Amino acid sequence: MTSMVKFFSIATFCGCVFLFSACVTREASPAAPSDDAELVQGQKVYNSKCASCHGSAGEGGVGLQLNEGAVLAAYPEFAAQVALVKEGRDAMPAFADSLSEEEIKAVTRYTREVLE
Ligand code: HEC
């Protein structure tokens, strides 16, 4: 019994150390202008929900490239991009249930205005 407890505390500890180092070593996404609260929120959402697939700078990975104008070229219409993020497409998850309308708008603005 005690050894089980020991095992789980060690496992939990290692998990935390791993997560922590993964967070610190990950490259930062481009900073949102601090006077635009919506873009600041968008950056937070991007880091926690999108960067793992689209890369911290939007350079792509599992997900398509978003930076260097790619997302603007694919989605000239803001509303169409919001719809894609809500509904998902193939390997792109749908976020309608896990993000609020405001969060989706904020992250969409972030990908269009800050990632470059
Ligand atoms: C699990 C990986 C994953 C995550 C997490 C993810 N995406 Fe994607 N995303 C993809 C994939 C894969 C595609 C390409 C879908 C396809 O093949 O049609 C994509 C496509 C897109 C596109 C369309 C790009 C284009 O040129 O058509 C946008 C915009 C986008 N994602 C935004 C986001 C945003 C914003 C988030 C965070 C809220 C996010 N993605 C999170 C994997 C992901």
Side-chain angles (χ1 to χ4, degrees):
M1 186 62 196
T2 359
S3 64
M4 280 291 274
V5 173
K6 227 181 195 170
F7 172 76
F8 280 117
S9 16
I10 292 172
T12 310
F13 177 74
C14 293
C16 289
V17 170
F18 175 75
L19 280 180
F20 180 71
S21 53
C23 289
V24 202
T25 48
R26 194 159 72 198
E27 263 182 64
S29 55
S34 56
D35 60 349
D36 190 325
E38 193 177 37
L39 286 180
V40 170
Q41 182 193 25
Q43 184 182 4
K44 286 196 189 123
V45 174
Y46 186 81
N47 284 337
S48 62
K49 304 280 183 187
C50 322
S52 57
C53 287
H54 289 281
S56 53
E59 71 276 17
V62 177
L64 293 174
Q65 180 187 22
L66 302 176
N67 67 0
E68 293 177 347
V71 83
L72 290 170
Y75 293 91
E77 296 288 335
F78 185 86
Q81 194 189 330
V82 165
L84 176 273
V85 176
K86 280 187 189 163
E87 291 156 21
R89 193 181 64 207
D90 297 336
M92 164 74 190
F95 286 94
D97 294 336
S98 55
L99 291 175
S100 69
E101 187 80 28
E102 289 73 37
E103 288 171 319
I104 291 177
K105 285 204 174 121
V107 74
T108 299
R109 272 195 66 204
Y110 177 79
T111 62
R112 299 172 77 87
E113 296 173 37
V114 183
L115 294 182
E116 50 183 33

